[in-house]
Amino acid sequence: MSLLTILHYPDPRLHQRARPVEHIDPELQRTFDDMLETMYAAPGIGLAATQVGIGLRFTVVDVSEAKDEPQVFINPEIITRAGKCKSEEGCLSVPGYSDTVIRSQQVHVRALNRAGEPFEVEAEELLAICLQHEIDHLDGRLFIDRLSDLKRRRARRQIRRALREAQQDKTGAG
Ligand code: ZN
């Protein structure tokens, strides 16, 4: 297994819509493992293929406290939604920034598992938020794209400043 490079905003690949997975082979299954390893190392609770520069519709997720329930969602689709909630989110592709977005409280999601078998999940709480966030990534959308215009402009300024400072730190350190 190996760690993959996570793309950071404003990389234009984060705004591309991913294509459906058409067949699942051992190579793709190795990619699932690499993505899980990358997600655990970050650390994060979800990582979409889009975030590592793969234009296919799948995401890895683990919202368990013990980090021992890895899940792969291939071609995930939200079938139904219920309720609304405020969700405080961050993103591995938008380091150093978090904000509140409005999400559905519950989502019914249909997907294929790592073996290509269909399954459905009635997701609530953290899993519901995480799946909405990751499926957004597959549609080329970041959580900051869900902020109001005013907040989004402020967020972009703040993120650009953080990126510049990180760059200067690197230069300073040689
Ligand atoms: Zn994200």
Side-chain angles (χ1 to χ4, degrees), residues 47-148:
L47 186 67
T50 313
Q51 292 179 275
V52 293
I54 300 172
L56 290 172
R57 299 187 77 79
F58 64 90
T59 180
V60 296
V61 167
D62 188 344
V63 296
S64 71
E65 242 162 73
K67 298 292 163 215
D68 58 358
E69 289 170 32
Q71 282 185 282
V72 182
F73 288 78
I74 301 164
N75 299 340
E77 274 179 278
I78 296 174
I79 306 301
T80 57
R81 304 169 173 273
K84 289 270 176 252
C85 64
K86 283 186 176 171
S87 159
E88 177 73 16
E89 296 185 20
C91 178
L92 297 177
S93 293
V94 190
Y97 189 80
S98 62
D99 213 330
T100 308
V101 293
I102 305 295
R103 298 284 189 189
S104 300
Q105 211 159 15
Q106 297 172 349
V107 286
H108 189 112
V109 173
R110 184 157 64 200
L112 303 176
N113 66 15
R114 61 176 296 140
E117 296 152 352
F119 72 101
E120 294 188 14
V121 57
E122 195 67 67
E124 296 181 323
E125 298 178 351
L126 191 54
L127 182 60
I129 300 296
C130 182
L131 285 171
Q132 290 171 81
H133 180 114
E134 302 311 328
I135 293 170
D136 267 359
H137 273 302
L138 301 178
D139 291 331
R141 196 181 297 141
L142 296 171
F143 79 101
I144 52 171
D145 298 325
R146 289 198 173 273
L147 300 172
S148 67

Side-chain angles (χ1 to χ4, degrees), residues 8-40:
H8 288 165
Y9 174 87
D11 193 306
R13 285 171 287 179
L14 290 169
H15 289 293
Q16 282 166 8
R17 197 182 154 82
R19 297 183 316 276
V21 172
E22 277 169 13
H23 60 269
I24 297 159
D25 56 19
E27 195 190 331
L28 193 63
Q29 287 168 329
R30 271 195 300 278
T31 305
F32 301 153
D33 294 332
D34 288 343
M35 280 180 53
L36 281 163
E37 196 189 358
T38 305
M39 178 188 82
Y40 287 129

